[in-house]
Amino acid sequence: MRQCRRGEIFVDREVQAALLWRVTGYWLFCLLSITLLLVCWTVASGPPRRSAEVAHELYLRYAPALVASLLVLPLVMIDVVRLSNRFVGPIVRLRGALRRMGAGEQVAPIKFRDGDFWHELADSFNLAARRLPEPQAAETASEPAGV
């Protein structure tokens, strides 16, 4: 079976940008909390020193870890976007089908890609769409008689 791939990276910019901002916020919060713990540990475990010496020691000891986490962050963000495509993509397709259905167009059954979430949602939509009257019949029934 041929594998269908999404052509767009950002399927729903609002949702996916919010996820990326959230990941970045968690990363910054993690760095802040680790830095605070390291400062407290360094101050409490060694002899009394000036704050500049403590900062220099922390920089020398933990700067490589900071750089490593900075290098990993884009990989995490790419993975979040790829994962979010699996649940945002189906919702975008469902939203488009609902919009067309609301405009009175005939809507073909929707099928989500392998690996997408919410296949049951597509099944429920298709079941509901089959139970609706044909758009042409609905339009002629709503026209006033004798016109």
Side-chain angles (χ1 to χ4, degrees):
M1 178 190 287
R2 191 171 64 88
Q3 179 78 10
C4 279
R5 298 186 56 96
R6 289 197 193 338
E8 295 181 46
I9 295 172
F10 289 101
V11 179
D12 186 333
R13 288 186 184 277
E14 182 179 351
V15 172
Q16 291 175 297
L19 287 170
L20 291 179
W21 279 111
R22 184 67 55 105
V23 166
T24 304
Y26 287 149
W27 177 75
L28 288 172
F29 181 75
C30 184
L31 283 181
L32 178 66
S33 61
I34 288 172
T35 301
L36 182 61
L37 287 170
L38 288 174
V39 167
C40 291
W41 179 260
T42 303
V43 168
S45 66
R49 293 167 282 182
R50 295 186 341 220
S51 56
E53 291 174 4
V54 171
H56 184 68
E57 179 184 340
L58 286 172
Y59 173 75
L60 291 176
R61 191 177 287 174
Y62 300 110
L66 174 66
V67 171
S69 73
L70 188 59
L71 293 174
V72 168
L73 181 63
L75 299 175
V76 171
M77 294 175 92
I78 289 168
D79 185 57
V80 165
V81 170
R82 290 183 67 203
L83 177 66
S84 67
N85 277 338
R86 293 177 54 199
F87 61 86
V88 173
I91 295 301
V92 168
R93 293 189 65 204
L94 181 65
R95 185 174 45 200
L98 286 169
R99 190 173 292 132
R100 289 189 305 278
M101 185 183 291
E105 298 176 26
Q106 182 68 29
V107 178
I110 59 173
K111 183 179 182 312
F112 298 152
R113 293 172 173 89
D114 291 338
D116 280 351
F117 294 110
W118 301 326
H119 285 272
E120 299 84 19
L121 191 59
D123 296 339
S124 298
F125 171 83
N126 293 333
L127 179 65
R130 280 194 304 267
R131 292 183 182 258
L132 290 176
E134 294 291 323
Q136 296 79 15
E139 290 173 7
T140 58
S142 65
E143 292 178 5
V147 178

